[in-house]
Amino acid sequence: MKYLSTRGGVSGLSFSDTVFEGLAPDGGLILPEDIPEFEEKELNELSKLSYVELAFEVFKRFIDDIPYEDLFQLIKRAYESFRTPEVAPVVKKGDIYILELFHGPTWAFKDIALQFLGVLFEYLLQKTGRKINILGATSGDTGSAAIYGVKGKKNIKIFILHPHNRVSKVQELMMTTVQEENVENLAIEGTFDDCQAIVKSIFMDLEFKRKYRLTSVNSINWARVLAQIVYYIWAYFKVREEEKVEHIYFCVPTGNFGDIFAGYIARKMLKKKIPKLVLATNENDILYRFVTKGDYSVGSVKPTISPSMDIQIASNFERYLYYFYNEDAEKTKKAMEKFAKEKKLEFSSEEVKKVQEDFVSARVTEEETLETIKEFYEKTGYVVDPHTAVGIRAVNKCLSERPVVCLATAHPAKFPETVEKALGMPYELPLEIKRLFELPKRYQVLPANEEKVKDFISRQAL
Ligand SMILES: *Cc1c(COP(=O)(O)O)cnc(C)c1O
């Protein structure tokens, strides 16, 4: 499989070429030149596989420049760190199937992609004799998942900035209790926006970036999307087996459009046996407005109790747009350039109709999120995290069809304060998380100052 850019300036890239690049050189996003579809006969074979075997079968169709034996070993290693060999169990609660994506080391779905990316980075670096330094800013989930993806890996060092004393306690501990020497936690005396601004500005200093071989692991990385396709197909088989039906809906709580875009690709591979994807947003609702009204205009980011979805510009949206415009790169490029200038795109009612062949959407308020955690617990005895609750509520609001799979993107223990508030009772943390409170911590406090951060990186980088 070869890869191209959504803006048409690049084609013929190999999979390995895409792994260390966020953007394509022309500013577009990277996509495979075509999307393989599964034949009916193949589906029956695939449905019998373990998670790791299925991941191998999916990856094989997109990766042709890593020997198959090596690829299988990489996938196996990536998912060994999960607390269950099933990797992503599907459980039925009431009339909803929950796809539990939080059994990785940092208890949220980003582990599924970043555990794979970590072993893949190490493998490719070893082959070429290169070293990289990863730089990123986090308000929680991504940073800890990235740290756990690469900790202890050879030829990689990671620098993650987080706002000092402004991330949740559990999230902070997941990062700062990591002792491996290739991990540097930088606790910045400022807000998440300060952290992000510093990282962005450092990446724009091309000389510094080149000198220290800085790499990012953000959600536009194609290998991350690829790893996420697998669990849709996996859950599709589980529910098909259980319900004996062909068509299964999926609901995805969305921020950067990364996870749901993987669902969109899975839907293509399954030839629309996922009839529609439910796109669930919190009060940061740009994607909801896009699906329901054709209004893709940036508002201001509002902090919510589902913080990993507090995003206004959905960085993977361009990939969808490319398919929406029937793979017309010129049209995609024009639209994205217009969006960069005007901070909005408007779609006609004809176009909205077309979007609605792929998605339905609902926006979920803070109050509704809390209510859903409580009601779902009362009905089923199962506690969900606030992001998952947004998904469940969205299904109740906009989808009557069943069966439906709601993606559980984080474990409730990552957001104990919110869960306790919703349930009105104490929430007991799992033992593995309680233990974090006793471990020694390793981090550096730095002022919100780009030069100070650069100075630290230049002294510590590989
Ligand atoms: C990152 C994240 C999301 C949003 O995922 P996107 O790929 O950005 O849409 C949802 N829930 C949790 C818990 C997350 O960490």
Side-chain angles (χ1 to χ4, degrees):
M1 179 71 75
K2 294 285 184 259
Y3 290 82
L4 49 69
S5 162
T6 50
R7 299 197 187 177
V10 196
S11 62
L13 298 173
S14 73
F15 174 76
S16 304
D17 291 337
T18 75
V19 174
F20 295 102
E21 301 301 328
L23 291 176
D26 63 351
L29 300 189
I30 292 164
L31 279 174
E33 289 188 348
D34 63 340
I35 307 287
E37 292 180 348
F38 291 128
E39 296 308 322
E40 216 47 50
K41 242 181 31 238
E42 275 179 301
L43 287 182
N44 289 328
E45 290 305 310
L46 295 173
S47 70
K48 299 178 193 126
L49 301 179
S50 70
Y51 190 91
V52 167
E53 290 164 342
L54 179 65
F56 177 59
E57 289 302 323
V58 173
F59 288 12
K60 255 166 68 178
R61 287 161 171 80
F62 292 96
I63 303 175
D64 57 13
D65 55 345
I66 296 177
Y68 284 163
E69 311 84 81
D70 292 0
L71 182 61
F72 186 80
Q73 289 308 318
L74 292 178
I75 299 169
K76 194 159 160 269
R77 269 183 56 210
Y79 297 115
E80 265 166 5
S81 61
F82 278 59
R83 289 180 299 280
T84 158
E86 270 186 285
V87 181
V90 180
V91 297
K92 189 173 190 188
K93 300 290 166 191
D95 68 343
I96 285 178
Y97 284 91
I98 304 276
L99 173 55
E100 295 184 340
L101 299 173
F102 50 66
H103 294 283
T106 71
W107 304 72
F109 90 98
K110 291 189 174 68
D111 284 330
I112 294 190
L114 286 164
Q115 284 292 307
F116 176 65
L117 201 62
V119 294
L120 183 64
F121 272 173
E122 185 177 52
Y123 173 83
L124 293 174
L125 290 171
Q126 210 144 17
K127 264 180 125 171
T128 54
R130 290 174 59 207
K131 295 181 197 306
I132 56 166
N133 293 289
I134 295 172
L135 173 65
T138 193
S139 54
D141 283 343
T142 309
S144 53
I147 287 171
Y148 272 79
V150 305
K151 75 184 174 100
K153 300 269 189 302
K154 292 189 211 72
N155 303 318
I156 305 175
K157 186 135 188 178
I158 185 166
F159 298 85
I160 294 289
L161 281 63
H162 72 264
H164 190 34
N165 293 329
R166 293 190 197 202
V167 297
S168 86
K169 194 71 202 160
V170 172
Q171 303 233 359
E172 184 209 306
L173 289 173
M174 275 182 188
M175 296 191 277
T176 57
T177 56
V178 172
Q179 296 298 323
E180 274 79 356
E181 291 207 346
N182 71 330
V183 174
E184 298 290 354
N185 281 294
L186 307 186
I188 300 296
E189 292 170 319
T191 62
F192 171 59
D193 288 342
D194 294 329
C195 297
Q196 222 172 11
I198 292 171
V199 167
K200 223 170 151 181
S201 172
I202 294 179
F203 271 112
M204 286 197 322
D205 180 345
L206 295 183
E207 195 181 321
F208 189 87
K209 182 181 171 215
R210 203 169 324 113
K211 182 164 178 200
Y212 295 105
R213 289 152 275 106
L214 293 185
T215 304
S216 69
V217 287
N218 49 27
S219 78
I220 55 178
N221 186 298
W222 166 254
R224 280 183 67 178
V225 174
L226 177 59
Q228 293 172 193
I229 294 170
V230 178
Y231 51 70
Y232 287 90
I233 298 171
W234 166 259
Y236 173 79
F237 288 139
K238 299 288 154 211
V239 176
R240 187 180 76 157
E241 172 73 23
E242 191 71 25
E243 298 275 329
K244 312 283 182 226
V245 294
E246 280 287 294
H247 291 105
I248 296 157
Y249 294 78
F250 279 76
C251 173
V252 192
T254 310
N256 262 319
F257 207 81
D259 199 3
I260 198 163
F261 181 74
Y264 177 77
I265 301 282
R267 176 173 178 267
K268 280 184 183 283
M269 296 180 78
L270 291 170
K271 299 201 231 180
K272 300 200 182 170
K273 291 190 179 65
I274 301 171
K276 273 180 197 185
L277 293 156
V278 180
L279 188 157
T281 76
N282 63 23
E283 293 178 18
N284 295 290
D285 62 356
I286 179 169
L287 290 166
Y288 161 76
R289 285 184 279 113
F290 165 67
V291 173
T292 54
K293 296 179 240 167
D295 164 23
Y296 190 74
S297 60
V298 178
S300 55
V301 178
K302 179 183 171 199
T304 72
I305 52 173
S306 45
S308 300
M309 291 152 53
D310 293 346
I311 282 158
Q312 276 294 339
I313 298 181
S315 50
N316 277 286
F317 182 71
E318 178 168 345
R319 285 194 164 113
Y320 173 67
L321 212 53
Y322 176 79
Y323 290 117
F324 180 75
Y325 288 144
N326 301 316
E327 308 183 27
D328 184 336
E330 200 47 44
K331 225 169 153 179
T332 309
K333 182 170 170 227
K334 283 224 177 78
M336 292 313 295
E337 283 170 356
K338 182 170 185 297
F339 177 71
K341 246 198 269 139
E342 298 171 12
K343 299 283 173 253
K344 70 171 185 212
L345 291 174
E346 279 160 5
F347 295 84
S348 68
S349 55
E350 277 308 299
E351 288 176 316
V352 170
K353 237 185 248 155
K354 191 172 161 206
V355 172
Q356 292 177 352
E357 289 167 17
D358 302 325
F359 302 104
V360 288
S361 182
R363 165 191 196 269
V364 177
T365 65
E366 296 286 275
E367 204 184 337
E368 288 169 332
T369 307
L370 289 170
E371 226 171 69
T372 305
I373 295 174
K374 186 172 167 62
E375 283 174 11
F376 202 70
Y377 175 69
E378 287 170 352
K379 218 167 65 189
T380 66
Y382 186 85
V383 181
V384 294
D385 101 288
H387 303 80
T388 309
V390 166
I392 291 173
R393 185 63 166 239
V395 162
N396 289 339
K397 283 181 142 183
C398 72
L399 188 84
S400 52
E401 291 88 346
R402 297 290 184 274
V404 62
V405 179
C406 283
L407 271 57
T409 51
H411 191 282
K414 279 200 102 160
F415 305 94
E417 299 87 359
T418 303
V419 169
E420 289 191 345
K421 182 173 167 205
L423 295 177
M425 62 183 199
Y427 174 75
E428 177 94 9
L429 291 176
L431 206 59
E432 292 100 322
I433 288 185
K434 272 196 209 156
R435 281 201 200 111
L436 293 177
F437 286 79
E438 280 133 47
L439 296 177
K441 293 195 257 183
R442 195 167 163 274
Y443 64 96
Q444 294 286 331
V445 181
L446 287 180
N449 175 307
E450 182 185 341
E451 290 312 314
K452 291 274 180 347
V453 174
K454 275 181 164 167
D455 184 54
F456 184 85
I457 294 173
S458 60
R459 280 183 288 115
Q460 301 292 333
L462 288 181

